[in-house]
Amino acid sequence: MKIVGVTSCIAGLAHTPMAAKALEKAAAQLGHDIKVEQQGALGQVNKLTEEEILAADFVLIASDQTVKDAERFEHKRIVRVKIGHAVNNAEAVLTKAVEAISAQK
């Protein structure tokens, strides 16, 4: 599956990049294509393009707060998880998200 995601923690320093890396690693292991935008202390890093969002099967938001520019995703299926789940259980998060999206098709 083609996935785009956003990670964002309250401080924007540690969990934001940790969750992004964990999701990228898990997606590679599971055979999914993912691009993750990080929203934190450095602003928006690895910002998603409109083309990437349109091409994605769904959007995964791993955050305990409101993400910036969320209106970009209003016509996409969105799966939201707590950022800690993405850091600690990225493979399970992706597996459950893919199953949920597949069930909706």
Side-chain angles (χ1 to χ4, degrees):
M1 246 187 211
K2 192 165 193 63
I3 306 163
V4 293
V6 176
T7 60
S8 179
C9 68
I10 293 172
L13 297 171
H15 286 94
T16 298
M18 288 170 58
K21 296 289 185 213
L23 291 168
E24 289 164 354
K25 182 178 177 184
Q29 290 174 340
L30 295 169
H32 300 298
D33 182 22
I34 192 168
K35 180 174 179 187
V36 182
E37 174 182 303
Q38 300 174 39
Q39 295 185 5
L42 299 175
Q44 289 172 293
V45 176
N46 206 25
K47 188 170 180 173
L48 299 169
T49 67
E50 185 176 328
E51 293 78 22
E52 291 165 332
I53 295 166
L54 287 172
D57 293 300
F58 69 95
V59 178
L60 176 66
I61 297 178
S63 178
D64 296 333
Q65 62 184 7
T66 303
V67 297
K68 295 179 182 112
D69 301 329
E71 65 276 358
R72 300 177 286 171
F73 312 124
E74 62 187 25
H75 297 296
K76 300 300 290 186
R77 285 183 251 163
I78 299 172
V79 175
R80 295 180 189 274
V81 298
K82 292 187 176 287
I83 195 161
H85 293 160
V87 171
N88 297 318
N89 301 302
E91 194 168 316
V93 165
L94 285 176
T95 298
K96 288 181 182 180
V98 167
E99 288 172 359
I101 294 300
S102 296
Q104 293 177 1
K105 286 187 175 182

Coordinates of all heavy atoms in Angstrom, one line a residue:
M1 N 0.8 -1.2 0.0 CA 0.0 0.0 0.0 C 0.9 1.2 0.0 O 2.0 1.2 0.5 CB -0.9 0.0 1.2 CG -2.3 -0.1 0.9 SD -3.5 0.1 2.2 CE -4.7 -1.1 1.5
K2 N 0.3 2.3 -0.5 CA 1.0 3.6 -0.6 C 0.4 4.4 0.6 O -0.8 4.7 0.6 CB 0.8 4.3 -1.9 CG 1.7 5.4 -2.1 CD 1.7 5.8 -3.6 CE 2.8 6.7 -3.9 NZ 4.2 6.2 -3.7
I3 N 1.3 4.8 1.5 CA 0.9 5.5 2.7 C 1.7 6.9 2.8 O 2.9 6.9 2.5 CB 1.2 4.7 3.9 CG1 0.5 3.3 3.8 CG2 0.7 5.4 5.2 CD1 1.1 2.3 4.8
V4 N 1.0 7.9 3.3 CA 1.6 9.1 3.7 C 1.3 9.3 5.2 O 0.2 8.9 5.6 CB 1.3 10.4 2.9 CG1 1.8 10.3 1.4 CG2 -0.2 10.6 2.9
G5 N 2.2 9.9 5.9 CA 1.9 10.1 7.3 C 2.5 11.4 7.8 O 3.3 12.1 7.2
V6 N 2.0 11.7 9.0 CA 2.5 12.9 9.7 C 2.8 12.5 11.2 O 1.9 11.8 11.8 CB 1.5 14.1 9.7 CG1 2.0 15.3 10.6 CG2 1.2 14.5 8.3
T7 N 4.0 12.8 11.7 CA 4.2 12.6 13.1 C 4.4 14.0 13.8 O 5.0 14.9 13.2 CB 5.5 11.7 13.3 OG1 6.6 12.4 12.7 CG2 5.3 10.3 12.7
S8 N 3.9 14.1 15.0 CA 4.0 15.3 15.7 C 3.8 15.1 17.2 O 2.8 14.6 17.6 CB 3.0 16.3 15.2 OG 3.0 17.5 15.8
C9 N 4.8 15.5 18.0 CA 4.6 15.4 19.4 C 4.6 16.8 20.0 O 4.9 17.8 19.3 CB 5.7 14.6 20.1 SG 7.3 15.3 20.0
I10 N 4.2 16.9 21.2 CA 4.0 18.2 21.8 C 5.3 19.1 21.8 O 5.3 20.2 21.4 CB 3.4 18.1 23.3 CG1 2.0 17.6 23.1 CG2 3.4 19.4 24.0 CD1 1.3 17.2 24.4
A11 N 6.4 18.5 22.2 CA 7.7 19.2 22.2 C 8.3 19.3 20.8 O 9.0 20.2 20.5 CB 8.7 18.5 23.2
G12 N 8.0 18.3 20.0 CA 8.5 18.3 18.6 C 10.0 18.0 18.5 O 10.6 18.3 17.5
L13 N 10.6 17.4 19.5 CA 12.0 17.1 19.5 C 12.4 15.7 19.4 O 13.1 15.3 18.4 CB 12.7 17.7 20.8 CG 12.5 19.2 21.0 CD1 13.0 19.6 22.3 CD2 13.3 19.9 19.9
A14 N 11.9 14.8 20.2 CA 12.3 13.4 20.2 C 11.3 12.5 19.6 O 11.7 11.7 18.6 CB 12.6 13.0 21.7
H15 N 10.1 12.5 20.1 CA 9.2 11.5 19.6 C 8.8 11.7 18.1 O 8.5 10.7 17.4 CB 7.9 11.4 20.5 CG 8.1 10.8 21.8 ND1 8.5 11.5 22.9 CD2 8.1 9.5 22.1 CE1 8.6 10.6 23.9 NE2 8.4 9.4 23.4
T16 N 8.8 12.9 17.6 CA 8.4 13.2 16.2 C 9.3 12.4 15.3 O 8.9 11.6 14.5 CB 8.4 14.7 16.0 OG1 7.4 15.3 16.8 CG2 8.1 15.0 14.5
P17 N 10.7 12.6 15.3 CA 11.5 11.8 14.4 C 11.6 10.3 14.8 O 11.7 9.5 13.9 CB 12.9 12.5 14.6 CG 12.9 13.2 15.9 CD 11.4 13.6 16.1
M18 N 11.5 10.0 16.0 CA 11.5 8.6 16.4 C 10.3 7.8 15.8 O 10.5 6.7 15.3 CB 11.5 8.4 17.9 CG 12.8 8.8 18.6 SD 12.7 8.9 20.4 CE 12.1 7.3 20.9
A19 N 9.2 8.4 15.8 CA 8.0 7.8 15.3 C 8.1 7.7 13.7 O 7.8 6.7 13.1 CB 6.7 8.6 15.6
A20 N 8.6 8.7 13.1 CA 8.8 8.7 11.7 C 9.7 7.6 11.2 O 9.4 6.8 10.3 CB 9.3 10.1 11.2
K21 N 10.9 7.5 11.9 CA 11.8 6.4 11.6 C 11.2 5.0 11.8 O 11.4 4.1 11.0 CB 13.1 6.6 12.4 CG 13.9 7.9 12.1 CD 14.5 7.8 10.8 CE 15.4 9.0 10.5 NZ 15.4 9.5 9.2
A22 N 10.5 4.9 12.9 CA 9.9 3.6 13.2 C 8.9 3.2 12.2 O 8.8 2.0 11.7 CB 9.3 3.6 14.6
L23 N 8.1 4.1 11.7 CA 7.1 3.9 10.7 C 7.7 3.5 9.4 O 7.3 2.6 8.7 CB 6.1 5.0 10.6 CG 5.2 5.3 11.7 CD1 4.4 6.6 11.6 CD2 4.1 4.1 11.8
E24 N 8.8 4.3 9.0 CA 9.5 4.0 7.8 C 10.1 2.6 7.8 O 10.0 1.9 6.8 CB 10.6 5.1 7.5 CG 10.0 6.4 7.2 CD 10.9 7.6 7.3 OE1 12.1 7.4 7.8 OE2 10.6 8.7 7.0
K25 N 10.7 2.2 8.9 CA 11.3 0.9 9.0 C 10.3 -0.2 8.9 O 10.5 -1.2 8.2 CB 12.1 0.8 10.3 CG 12.8 -0.5 10.5 CD 13.6 -0.5 11.8 CE 14.3 -1.9 12.1 NZ 14.9 -1.9 13.3
A26 N 9.2 0.0 9.7 CA 8.1 -1.0 9.7 C 7.5 -1.1 8.3 O 7.2 -2.3 7.8 CB 7.1 -0.7 10.7
A27 N 7.3 0.0 7.6 CA 6.7 -0.1 6.3 C 7.6 -0.8 5.3 O 7.1 -1.7 4.5 CB 6.4 1.3 5.7
A28 N 8.9 -0.6 5.4 CA 9.8 -1.3 4.5 C 9.7 -2.8 4.8 O 9.7 -3.6 3.9 CB 11.2 -0.8 4.7
Q29 N 9.7 -3.2 6.1 CA 9.6 -4.6 6.4 C 8.3 -5.3 6.0 O 8.3 -6.4 5.6 CB 9.8 -4.8 7.9 CG 11.2 -4.5 8.4 CD 11.3 -4.5 10.0 OE1 10.3 -4.4 10.7 NE2 12.5 -4.6 10.4
L30 N 7.2 -4.5 6.0 CA 5.9 -5.0 5.6 C 5.6 -4.9 4.1 O 4.6 -5.4 3.6 CB 4.8 -4.3 6.4 CG 4.8 -4.6 7.9 CD1 3.9 -3.6 8.6 CD2 4.5 -6.0 8.2
G31 N 6.5 -4.2 3.4 CA 6.3 -4.1 1.9 C 5.5 -3.0 1.5 O 4.9 -3.0 0.4
H32 N 5.3 -2.0 2.3 CA 4.5 -0.8 2.0 C 5.4 0.4 1.6 O 6.6 0.5 2.1 CB 3.6 -0.4 3.2 CG 2.7 -1.5 3.6 ND1 1.7 -2.0 2.8 CD2 2.6 -2.1 4.8 CE1 1.0 -2.9 3.4 NE2 1.5 -3.0 4.6
D33 N 4.9 1.3 0.9 CA 5.6 2.5 0.5 C 5.1 3.6 1.4 O 3.8 3.8 1.4 CB 5.3 2.8 -1.0 CG 6.0 4.1 -1.5 OD1 7.0 4.5 -0.9 OD2 5.6 4.6 -2.5
I34 N 6.0 4.3 2.1 CA 5.5 5.4 3.0 C 6.4 6.6 2.9 O 7.6 6.4 2.7 CB 5.5 4.8 4.5 CG1 4.7 5.8 5.4 CG2 6.9 4.6 5.0 CD1 4.4 5.3 6.8
K35 N 5.8 7.7 3.1 CA 6.6 9.0 3.3 C 5.9 9.7 4.5 O 4.7 9.8 4.6 CB 6.5 9.9 2.0 CG 7.3 11.2 2.3 CD 7.3 12.1 1.1 CE 8.1 13.4 1.5 NZ 8.1 14.3 0.4
V36 N 6.8 10.1 5.4 CA 6.3 10.6 6.7 C 6.9 12.1 6.8 O 8.0 12.3 6.8 CB 6.8 9.8 7.9 CG1 6.2 10.4 9.2 CG2 6.4 8.3 7.7
E37 N 5.9 13.0 7.0 CA 6.2 14.4 7.3 C 6.4 14.5 8.8 O 5.5 14.0 9.6 CB 5.1 15.3 6.8 CG 5.2 16.7 7.1 CD 4.1 17.5 6.6 OE1 3.8 17.5 5.4 OE2 3.4 18.2 7.4
Q38 N 7.4 15.2 9.3 CA 7.6 15.5 10.7 C 7.2 16.9 11.0 O 7.7 17.8 10.3 CB 9.0 15.2 11.1 CG 9.5 13.8 10.9 CD 11.0 13.7 11.2 OE1 11.5 14.2 12.1 NE2 11.7 12.9 10.3
Q39 N 6.4 17.1 12.0 CA 6.0 18.5 12.4 C 6.5 18.7 13.8 O 6.0 18.0 14.7 CB 4.5 18.7 12.3 CG 4.0 18.7 10.9 CD 2.5 19.0 10.8 OE1 1.9 19.4 11.8 NE2 1.9 18.9 9.7
G40 N 7.5 19.5 14.0 CA 8.0 19.7 15.3 C 8.8 21.0 15.5 O 8.4 22.0 14.8
A41 N 9.8 21.0 16.3 CA 10.5 22.2 16.6 C 11.2 22.8 15.4 O 11.5 24.0 15.3 CB 11.6 21.9 17.7
L42 N 11.5 22.0 14.4 CA 12.2 22.5 13.2 C 11.2 22.8 12.1 O 11.5 23.1 10.9 CB 13.1 21.4 12.6 CG 14.3 21.0 13.6 CD1 15.1 19.8 13.0 CD2 15.2 22.2 13.9
G43 N 9.9 22.8 12.4 CA 8.8 23.1 11.4 C 8.4 21.8 10.8 O 8.4 20.8 11.4
Q44 N 8.0 22.0 9.5 CA 7.6 20.8 8.7 C 8.8 20.2 8.0 O 9.3 20.9 7.0 CB 6.5 21.1 7.8 CG 5.2 21.4 8.5 CD 4.1 22.0 7.6 OE1 4.2 23.1 7.1 NE2 3.1 21.2 7.4
V45 N 9.3 19.0 8.4 CA 10.4 18.4 7.7 C 9.9 17.3 6.8 O 9.0 16.5 7.3 CB 11.4 17.8 8.8 CG1 12.5 17.1 8.2 CG2 11.9 18.9 9.7
N46 N 10.4 17.2 5.6 CA 10.0 16.1 4.7 C 8.5 16.3 4.3 O 7.7 15.4 4.2 CB 10.2 14.7 5.3 CG 10.4 13.7 4.3 OD1 10.8 13.9 3.2 ND2 10.1 12.4 4.6
K47 N 8.2 17.6 4.1 CA 6.8 18.0 3.8 C 6.2 17.2 2.6 O 6.8 17.0 1.6 CB 6.7 19.5 3.5 CG 5.3 20.0 3.5 CD 5.2 21.5 3.4 CE 3.7 21.9 3.4 NZ 3.5 23.3 3.5
L48 N 5.0 16.7 2.8 CA 4.3 16.0 1.8 C 3.8 16.9 0.7 O 3.3 18.0 1.0 CB 3.0 15.3 2.4 CG 3.3 14.3 3.5 CD1 2.1 13.9 4.2 CD2 4.1 13.1 3.0
T49 N 3.9 16.4 -0.5 CA 3.4 17.2 -1.7 C 2.0 16.8 -2.0 O 1.5 15.7 -1.5 CB 4.3 16.9 -2.9 OG1 4.1 15.6 -3.3 CG2 5.7 17.2 -2.7
E50 N 1.3 17.6 -2.7 CA -0.1 17.4 -3.1 C -0.1 16.1 -3.9 O -1.1 15.3 -3.7 CB -0.6 18.5 -3.9 CG -2.1 18.4 -4.2 CD -2.6 19.6 -5.0 OE1 -2.1 20.7 -4.7 OE2 -3.5 19.4 -5.8
E51 N 0.8 15.8 -4.7 CA 0.9 14.6 -5.6 C 1.0 13.4 -4.7 O 0.4 12.4 -4.9 CB 2.0 14.7 -6.6 CG 1.8 15.7 -7.7 CD 2.2 17.2 -7.2 OE1 2.9 17.3 -6.2 OE2 1.7 18.1 -7.8
E52 N 1.9 13.4 -3.7 CA 2.1 12.3 -2.8 C 0.8 12.0 -2.0 O 0.4 10.8 -1.8 CB 3.2 12.6 -1.8 CG 4.6 12.6 -2.5 CD 5.7 13.2 -1.7 OE1 5.4 14.1 -0.8 OE2 6.8 12.8 -1.9
I53 N 0.1 13.0 -1.6 CA -1.1 12.9 -0.8 C -2.2 12.2 -1.7 O -2.9 11.3 -1.3 CB -1.6 14.2 -0.2 CG1 -0.6 14.7 0.8 CG2 -3.0 14.0 0.4 CD1 -0.8 16.1 1.2
L54 N -2.3 12.7 -2.9 CA -3.3 12.2 -3.8 C -3.1 10.8 -4.2 O -4.0 10.0 -4.3 CB -3.4 13.0 -5.1 CG -4.0 14.4 -5.0 CD1 -3.8 15.2 -6.3 CD2 -5.5 14.3 -4.7
A55 N -1.8 10.4 -4.3 CA -1.5 9.0 -4.7 C -1.6 8.0 -3.6 O -1.6 6.8 -3.8 CB 0.0 9.0 -5.3
A56 N -1.7 8.5 -2.3 CA -1.7 7.6 -1.2 C -3.0 6.9 -1.0 O -4.1 7.5 -1.3 CB -1.4 8.4 0.1
D57 N -3.0 5.7 -0.5 CA -4.2 4.9 -0.2 C -4.9 5.5 1.1 O -6.1 5.4 1.2 CB -3.9 3.4 0.0 CG -3.5 2.8 -1.3 OD1 -4.2 2.8 -2.2 OD2 -2.3 2.3 -1.3
F58 N -4.0 6.0 2.0 CA -4.6 6.6 3.2 C -3.5 7.5 3.9 O -2.3 7.4 3.5 CB -5.1 5.6 4.2 CG -4.1 4.7 4.9 CD1 -3.6 5.0 6.1 CD2 -3.7 3.5 4.3 CE1 -2.7 4.2 6.8 CE2 -2.8 2.7 4.9 CZ -2.3 3.0 6.1
V59 N -3.9 8.2 4.9 CA -3.0 9.1 5.6 C -3.0 8.6 7.1 O -4.0 8.3 7.7 CB -3.5 10.6 5.7 CG1 -2.6 11.4 6.5 CG2 -3.7 11.1 4.3
L60 N -1.8 8.4 7.6 CA -1.6 8.0 9.0 C -1.1 9.2 9.8 O 0.0 9.7 9.5 CB -0.6 6.8 9.1 CG -0.3 6.3 10.5 CD1 -1.5 5.7 11.1 CD2 0.9 5.3 10.4
I61 N -1.8 9.6 10.8 CA -1.4 10.7 11.6 C -1.1 10.1 13.0 O -2.0 9.6 13.7 CB -2.5 11.8 11.7 CG1 -2.7 12.4 10.3 CG2 -2.1 12.8 12.7 CD1 -3.8 13.4 10.3
A62 N 0.2 10.2 13.4 CA 0.7 9.8 14.7 C 1.0 11.0 15.5 O 2.0 11.6 15.3 CB 1.9 8.9 14.5
S63 N 0.0 11.4 16.3 CA 0.1 12.7 17.0 C -0.8 12.7 18.2 O -1.9 12.1 18.1 CB -0.2 13.8 16.1 OG -0.1 15.1 16.8
D64 N -0.4 13.4 19.2 CA -1.3 13.7 20.4 C -1.8 15.1 20.3 O -2.3 15.6 21.3 CB -0.6 13.4 21.7 CG -0.1 12.0 21.8 OD1 -0.8 11.1 21.2 OD2 0.9 11.7 22.5
Q65 N -1.7 15.8 19.2 CA -2.1 17.2 19.1 C -2.6 17.4 17.7 O -2.6 16.5 16.8 CB -1.0 18.1 19.4 CG 0.2 18.0 18.4 CD 1.4 18.9 18.8 OE1 1.3 19.5 19.9 NE2 2.4 18.9 18.0
T66 N -3.1 18.6 17.4 CA -3.6 18.9 16.0 C -2.4 19.1 15.1 O -1.4 19.8 15.5 CB -4.4 20.2 16.1 OG1 -5.5 20.0 17.0 CG2 -5.0 20.6 14.7
V67 N -2.5 18.6 13.9 CA -1.3 18.7 13.0 C -1.6 20.0 12.1 O -2.8 20.3 11.9 CB -1.1 17.5 12.1 CG1 -0.7 16.3 13.0 CG2 -2.3 17.1 11.3
K68 N -0.5 20.6 11.6 CA -0.6 21.7 10.8 C -1.1 21.3 9.4 O -0.7 20.2 8.9 CB 0.7 22.4 10.7 CG 1.2 23.0 11.9 CD 2.6 23.6 11.8 CE 3.1 24.2 13.1 NZ 4.2 23.4 13.6
D69 N -1.8 22.2 8.7 CA -2.3 22.0 7.3 C -3.1 20.7 7.2 O -3.0 20.0 6.1 CB -1.1 22.0 6.4 CG -0.3 23.3 6.4 OD1 -0.9 24.3 6.7 OD2 0.9 23.2 6.2
A70 N -3.9 20.3 8.2 CA -4.7 19.1 8.1 C -5.7 19.1 7.0 O -6.1 18.0 6.5 CB -5.3 18.8 9.5
E71 N -6.1 20.3 6.5 CA -7.1 20.4 5.5 C -6.6 19.7 4.2 O -7.4 19.3 3.3 CB -7.5 21.8 5.2 CG -6.4 22.7 4.7 CD -5.4 23.3 5.7 OE1 -5.7 23.1 6.9 OE2 -4.5 24.0 5.4
R72 N -5.3 19.5 4.0 CA -4.7 18.8 2.9 C -5.3 17.4 2.8 O -5.3 16.8 1.7 CB -3.2 18.7 3.0 CG -2.5 20.0 3.0 CD -1.0 19.7 3.2 NE -0.7 19.3 4.6 CZ 0.5 18.8 5.0 NH1 1.5 18.7 4.2 NH2 0.6 18.4 6.2
F73 N -5.7 16.8 3.9 CA -6.1 15.4 3.9 C -7.6 15.2 3.9 O -8.1 14.1 4.1 CB -5.5 14.8 5.1 CG -4.0 15.0 5.3 CD1 -3.6 15.6 6.5 CD2 -3.1 14.7 4.3 CE1 -2.2 15.8 6.7 CE2 -1.8 15.0 4.5 CZ -1.3 15.5 5.7
E74 N -8.4 16.3 3.8 CA -9.9 16.2 4.0 C -10.6 15.2 3.0 O -11.6 14.8 3.4 CB -10.5 17.6 4.0 CG -10.4 18.3 2.7 CD -11.0 19.8 2.9 OE1 -11.0 20.3 4.0 OE2 -11.4 20.3 1.9
H75 N -10.0 14.9 1.9 CA -10.6 14.0 1.0 C -10.0 12.6 1.0 O -10.2 11.8 0.1 CB -10.6 14.5 -0.4 CG -11.4 15.8 -0.5 ND1 -12.8 15.9 -0.3 CD2 -11.0 17.1 -0.8 CE1 -13.2 17.1 -0.5 NE2 -12.1 17.9 -0.8
K76 N -9.2 12.3 2.0 CA -8.5 11.1 2.1 C -9.0 10.3 3.3 O -9.5 10.9 4.3 CB -6.9 11.3 2.3 CG -6.2 12.0 1.2 CD -6.4 11.3 -0.2 CE -5.6 10.0 -0.2 NZ -5.5 9.4 -1.6
R77 N -8.8 9.0 3.3 CA -9.1 8.2 4.5 C -7.9 8.5 5.5 O -6.8 8.4 5.1 CB -9.2 6.7 4.2 CG -10.5 6.5 3.5 CD -10.7 5.0 3.2 NE -10.5 4.9 1.8 CZ -10.3 3.8 1.2 NH1 -10.1 2.7 1.8 NH2 -10.2 3.8 -0.1
I78 N -8.3 8.7 6.7 CA -7.3 9.1 7.7 C -7.3 8.1 8.9 O -8.4 7.7 9.4 CB -7.5 10.5 8.3 CG1 -7.4 11.5 7.2 CG2 -6.5 10.8 9.4 CD1 -7.8 12.9 7.5
V79 N -6.2 7.6 9.3 CA -6.1 6.7 10.5 C -5.2 7.6 11.5 O -4.2 8.0 11.2 CB -5.4 5.4 10.2 CG1 -5.2 4.6 11.5 CG2 -6.1 4.6 9.2
R80 N -5.8 7.7 12.7 CA -5.1 8.5 13.8 C -4.7 7.6 14.9 O -5.5 6.7 15.3 CB -6.0 9.6 14.3 CG -6.4 10.6 13.3 CD -7.3 11.7 14.0 NE -7.8 12.6 13.0 CZ -7.2 13.6 12.5 NH1 -6.1 14.0 13.0 NH2 -7.8 14.4 11.6
V81 N -3.4 7.7 15.3 CA -2.9 7.0 16.5 C -2.1 7.9 17.4 O -1.7 8.9 16.9 CB -2.0 5.8 16.0 CG1 -2.8 4.8 15.1 CG2 -0.8 6.3 15.3
K82 N -2.0 7.5 18.6 CA -1.1 8.2 19.5 C 0.3 8.1 19.1 O 0.7 7.0 18.6 CB -1.3 7.8 20.9 CG -2.7 8.1 21.5 CD -2.7 7.7 23.0 CE -4.1 8.1 23.6 NZ -4.2 9.6 23.7
I83 N 1.1 9.1 19.2 CA 2.5 9.0 18.7 C 3.3 8.0 19.5 O 4.1 7.3 18.8 CB 3.2 10.4 18.8 CG1 4.5 10.4 18.0 CG2 3.4 10.8 20.2 CD1 5.0 11.8 17.6
G84 N 3.0 7.7 20.7 CA 3.7 6.7 21.5 C 3.5 5.3 20.9 O 4.4 4.5 20.9
H85 N 2.3 5.1 20.3 CA 2.1 3.8 19.7 C 2.9 3.6 18.4 O 3.4 2.5 18.2 CB 0.6 3.6 19.3 CG -0.3 3.5 20.5 ND1 -1.6 3.8 20.5 CD2 -0.1 3.2 21.8 CE1 -2.2 3.7 21.6 NE2 -1.2 3.3 22.5
A86 N 3.1 4.7 17.7 CA 3.9 4.6 16.5 C 5.4 4.4 16.9 O 6.1 3.7 16.2 CB 3.8 5.9 15.7
V87 N 5.9 5.0 17.9 CA 7.2 4.8 18.4 C 7.5 3.4 18.8 O 8.5 2.7 18.5 CB 7.6 5.8 19.5 CG1 9.0 5.5 20.1 CG2 7.6 7.2 19.0
N88 N 6.6 2.9 19.7 CA 6.8 1.6 20.3 C 6.3 0.4 19.5 O 6.8 -0.7 19.8 CB 6.1 1.6 21.7 CG 6.8 2.6 22.6 OD1 8.0 2.8 22.6 ND2 5.9 3.3 23.4
N89 N 5.3 0.6 18.7 CA 4.6 -0.6 18.0 C 4.3 -0.2 16.5 O 3.2 -0.4 16.1 CB 3.3 -0.9 18.7 CG 3.6 -1.3 20.1 OD1 4.3 -2.2 20.4 ND2 2.9 -0.6 21.1
A90 N 5.3 0.3 15.8 CA 5.0 0.8 14.5 C 4.5 -0.3 13.5 O 3.6 -0.1 12.7 CB 6.3 1.4 13.9
E91 N 5.1 -1.5 13.7 CA 4.6 -2.6 12.8 C 3.2 -2.9 13.0 O 2.4 -3.1 12.1 CB 5.5 -3.8 13.0 CG 5.3 -4.8 11.9 CD 6.4 -5.9 11.9 OE1 7.6 -5.6 12.1 OE2 6.0 -7.1 11.7
A92 N 2.8 -3.0 14.3 CA 1.4 -3.3 14.6 C 0.5 -2.2 14.2 O -0.6 -2.4 13.7 CB 1.2 -3.5 16.1
V93 N 0.9 -0.9 14.4 CA 0.1 0.2 13.9 C -0.2 0.2 12.4 O -1.3 0.3 12.0 CB 0.8 1.6 14.3 CG1 0.2 2.7 13.5 CG2 0.8 1.8 15.8
L94 N 0.9 -0.1 11.6 CA 0.7 -0.2 10.2 C -0.2 -1.3 9.8 O -1.0 -1.2 8.9 CB 2.1 -0.2 9.5 CG 2.8 1.1 9.4 CD1 4.2 0.9 8.8 CD2 2.1 2.1 8.7
T95 N 0.1 -2.5 10.4 CA -0.7 -3.7 10.1 C -2.2 -3.4 10.3 O -3.1 -3.7 9.5 CB -0.2 -4.9 10.9 OG1 1.1 -5.1 10.5 CG2 -1.1 -6.1 10.6
K96 N -2.5 -2.9 11.5 CA -3.9 -2.6 11.8 C -4.5 -1.5 10.9 O -5.7 -1.6 10.5 CB -4.1 -2.2 13.3 CG -3.9 -3.3 14.3 CD -4.0 -2.9 15.7 CE -3.8 -4.1 16.6 NZ -3.9 -3.7 18.0
A97 N -3.7 -0.5 10.6 CA -4.2 0.6 9.7 C -4.5 0.0 8.3 O -5.6 0.3 7.8 CB -3.2 1.7 9.7
V98 N -3.6 -0.8 7.8 CA -3.8 -1.4 6.5 C -5.0 -2.3 6.5 O -5.9 -2.2 5.5 CB -2.6 -2.1 6.0 CG1 -2.8 -3.0 4.8 CG2 -1.4 -1.1 5.7
E99 N -5.2 -3.1 7.5 CA -6.4 -4.0 7.6 C -7.7 -3.1 7.6 O -8.6 -3.5 7.0 CB -6.3 -4.8 8.9 CG -5.3 -5.9 8.7 CD -5.0 -6.7 10.0 OE1 -5.7 -6.4 11.1 OE2 -4.2 -7.6 10.0
A100 N -7.7 -2.1 8.4 CA -8.9 -1.2 8.5 C -9.2 -0.6 7.2 O -10.4 -0.5 6.8 CB -8.7 -0.2 9.6
I101 N -8.2 -0.1 6.5 CA -8.4 0.6 5.2 C -8.9 -0.4 4.2 O -9.8 -0.2 3.4 CB -7.2 1.3 4.8 CG1 -6.9 2.5 5.7 CG2 -7.3 1.8 3.3 CD1 -8.0 3.6 5.8
S102 N -8.3 -1.6 4.2 CA -8.6 -2.7 3.2 C -10.1 -3.1 3.4 O -10.8 -3.4 2.5 CB -7.7 -3.8 3.4 OG -6.4 -3.5 3.0
A103 N -10.5 -3.2 4.7 CA -11.9 -3.6 5.0 C -12.9 -2.6 4.5 O -14.1 -2.9 4.2 CB -12.0 -3.8 6.5
Q104 N -12.5 -1.3 4.3 CA -13.4 -0.3 3.9 C -13.6 -0.2 2.4 O -14.5 0.4 1.9 CB -12.9 1.1 4.3 CG -13.0 1.3 5.8 CD -12.4 2.6 6.2 OE1 -12.0 3.4 5.4 NE2 -12.4 2.9 7.5
K105 N -12.7 -0.9 1.6 CA -12.7 -0.8 0.2 C -13.8 -1.7 -0.4 O -14.3 -2.6 0.1 CB -11.4 -1.3 -0.4 CG -10.3 -0.2 -0.2 CD -9.1 -0.6 -0.9 CE -8.1 0.5 -0.8 NZ -6.9 0.2 -1.6

